[in-house]
Amino acid sequence: MSKNRRLEGAATPKEEQGEPSDVTMRIEKPYMNSSSIESTKHIAIQVVAGRDMLSFFVIKPNSHVLIGREEHAELRLLDRAVSTRHAMINCSENGSLTIIDLASTNGTFVNDLRVDRASLQTGDYLEIGDVALRVMSLSENELQHLKRVSSRLKDANKDPLTGLYRRNFLDEELPKLVARCELHNLPISCCFVDLDQFKPINDTFGHQVGDQVLINIARIIMLTVRDGDTCIRYGGDELVLIFPGITEATTVSVVNRIRHNIQKHDWTRIAPKLAVSASFGVSTRKVNESIEQWMYRADQAVYAAKTSGRNRVIPYGYIEQIAQRSKKTD
């Protein structure tokens, strides 16, 4: 078994002795197959677009959920288009859901149809005022991950718009993380993210929509990566993702999942005809490589992704392969 294969999933020497290392406590667990099945399921109503994206409420049998701006609403939405007491969702003993509009000003919509009363199924989209929500079925792991992500996004020390780490993380915390990975002989990878055609989005739809795009991108990424991965707003529409403990190939797989989740997201819930994609550049730090050079290679990779058609993931290793082939043909 190669060293990198062991490092991506196996225990470090400390763990083999029953003692978790500091870096593995941050890395937590390797990426798992998303097809793993859990029997426990939770039904939740989750905001899927906008500043309140990821706000959610778990619905239990024999209960009801008041949605509105009222202070004591189970799912409180502060959007101005939401009425004080906008709608009520009732859950029966057997788990069937019914939504009732409470004579709201702007109406309640289920899958784009205005309703006074309607049955709900998992996957249904709701519109309460200008807020888009969805009926979700979540495993216990998915629910706990959602709770942790929601909590981290509220950290006062994060970027105020996106809830991601600020750029100073790269100067203050990244060297420590790199040192811990070196100590335990673990790989560490990074990814530069650049939104495609973000300036035209701002010019066409306005900066408020642009802000909503950034907020949604941040939440999509946070839901896709592990708790131990780090997401940083580098500047404007540029993000940096840090993946301790995984190699370039695994990082590319994870980042492609992010790219797919961004592409399939229903952006028209923010603005009609809005479509969003992103380009990604990945690099894994080499032995004794400076952080600056490591970051530079990821930056070169995302530039290659942008100039070769956008909406793609390019690892720096691919650029090196092309360069080597070019030398052989010269």
Side-chain angles (χ1 to χ4, degrees):
M1 182 180 293
S2 69
K3 179 187 292 185
N4 282 339
R5 285 179 63 85
R6 185 187 74 80
L7 290 174
E8 285 192 49
T12 62
K14 272 190 174 183
E15 289 173 302
E16 289 167 356
Q17 299 169 15
E19 179 185 355
S21 66
D22 51 356
V23 72
T24 52
M25 289 177 69
R26 178 174 178 80
I27 293 170
E28 295 181 354
K29 60 184 179 181
Y31 281 91
M32 305 299 292
N33 190 326
S34 60
S35 63
S36 59
I37 298 174
E38 293 183 62
S39 58
T40 303
K41 290 290 183 180
H42 302 274
I43 301 299
I45 305 297
Q46 180 185 333
V47 179
V48 294
R51 184 175 295 275
D52 293 320
M53 184 179 172
L54 299 191
S55 296
F56 68 97
F57 188 86
V58 176
I59 306 176
K60 298 181 179 180
N62 280 331
S63 68
H64 64 268
V65 179
L66 174 63
I67 303 174
R69 287 189 290 112
E70 183 177 282
E71 183 178 356
H72 300 294
E74 282 80 14
L75 184 53
R76 191 182 187 200
L77 304 175
L78 299 180
D79 187 274
R80 292 182 179 180
V82 176
S83 297
T84 304
R85 294 173 60 86
H86 196 108
M88 181 79 74
I89 295 178
N90 294 323
C91 183
S92 68
E93 186 174 356
N94 65 6
S96 61
L97 302 176
T98 303
I99 189 167
I100 303 169
D101 182 76
L102 302 178
S104 64
T105 301
N106 294 309
T108 297
F109 293 78
V110 177
N111 299 325
D112 297 323
L113 296 176
R114 185 164 184 165
V115 300
D116 293 322
R117 183 187 186 97
S119 297
L120 297 178
Q121 305 292 330
T122 299
D124 282 347
Y125 280 100
L126 312 178
E127 288 183 43
I128 306 293
D130 291 332
V131 180
L133 307 97
R134 197 177 187 191
V135 183
M136 309 287 284
S137 176
L138 303 173
S139 69
E140 180 64 25
N141 280 346
E142 289 170 333
L143 177 61
Q144 295 306 319
H145 182 55
L146 180 60
K147 288 180 178 179
R148 290 191 294 268
V149 169
S150 298
S151 176
R152 292 204 307 275
L153 288 170
K154 296 174 183 177
D155 189 334
N157 295 319
K158 304 287 183 65
D159 173 64
L161 178 66
T162 62
L164 303 181
Y165 280 102
R166 302 173 192 261
R167 184 171 178 167
N168 61 357
F169 178 94
L170 296 174
D171 297 322
E172 298 172 5
E173 299 298 328
L174 184 57
K176 301 174 188 176
L177 183 56
V178 168
R180 290 199 294 271
C181 284
E182 283 185 334
L183 178 64
H184 296 280
N185 199 25
L186 288 166
I188 183 168
S189 300
C190 75
C191 174
F192 273 42
V193 184
D194 200 341
L195 300 193
D196 297 331
Q197 304 288 359
F198 188 65
K199 185 179 184 302
I201 288 175
N202 276 329
D203 293 344
T204 303
F205 298 98
H207 288 276
Q208 285 188 333
V209 168
D211 285 349
Q212 292 299 316
V213 168
L214 289 171
I215 291 166
N216 279 255
I217 288 284
R219 281 146 179 74
I220 290 168
I221 292 174
M222 291 287 283
L223 280 175
T224 307
V225 302
R226 301 169 300 178
D227 292 338
D229 299 327
T230 303
C231 308
I232 302 147
R233 187 180 182 193
Y234 191 67
D237 62 323
E238 297 175 312
L239 310 176
V240 176
L241 314 179
I242 306 296
F243 300 94
I246 61 174
T247 59
E248 189 169 272
T250 303
T251 304
V252 167
S253 176
V254 174
V255 172
N256 258 316
R257 199 184 312 158
I258 294 171
R259 184 189 66 80
H260 175 70
N261 289 343
I262 290 172
Q263 190 172 14
K264 74 176 185 180
H265 186 70
D266 187 1
W267 296 102
T268 61
R269 300 281 170 178
I270 296 177
K273 299 183 179 180
L274 175 64
V276 179
S277 65
S279 299
F280 305 82
V282 173
S283 69
T284 295
R285 183 173 176 267
K286 298 179 179 180
V287 176
N288 297 325
E289 184 177 29
S290 69
I291 291 177
E292 291 75 15
Q293 181 61 26
W294 171 39
M295 296 282 117
Y296 173 76
R297 291 193 297 110
D299 190 38
Q300 290 294 103
V302 77
Y303 177 77
K306 299 284 283 189
T307 55
S308 60
R310 303 187 181 93
N311 189 26
R312 62 194 62 204
V313 181
I314 290 189
Y316 191 81
Y318 174 77
I319 297 175
E320 290 179 321
Q321 289 176 6
I322 297 298
Q324 289 173 358
R325 291 174 190 167
S326 178
K327 286 182 180 180
K328 290 180 181 179
T329 57
D330 288 344

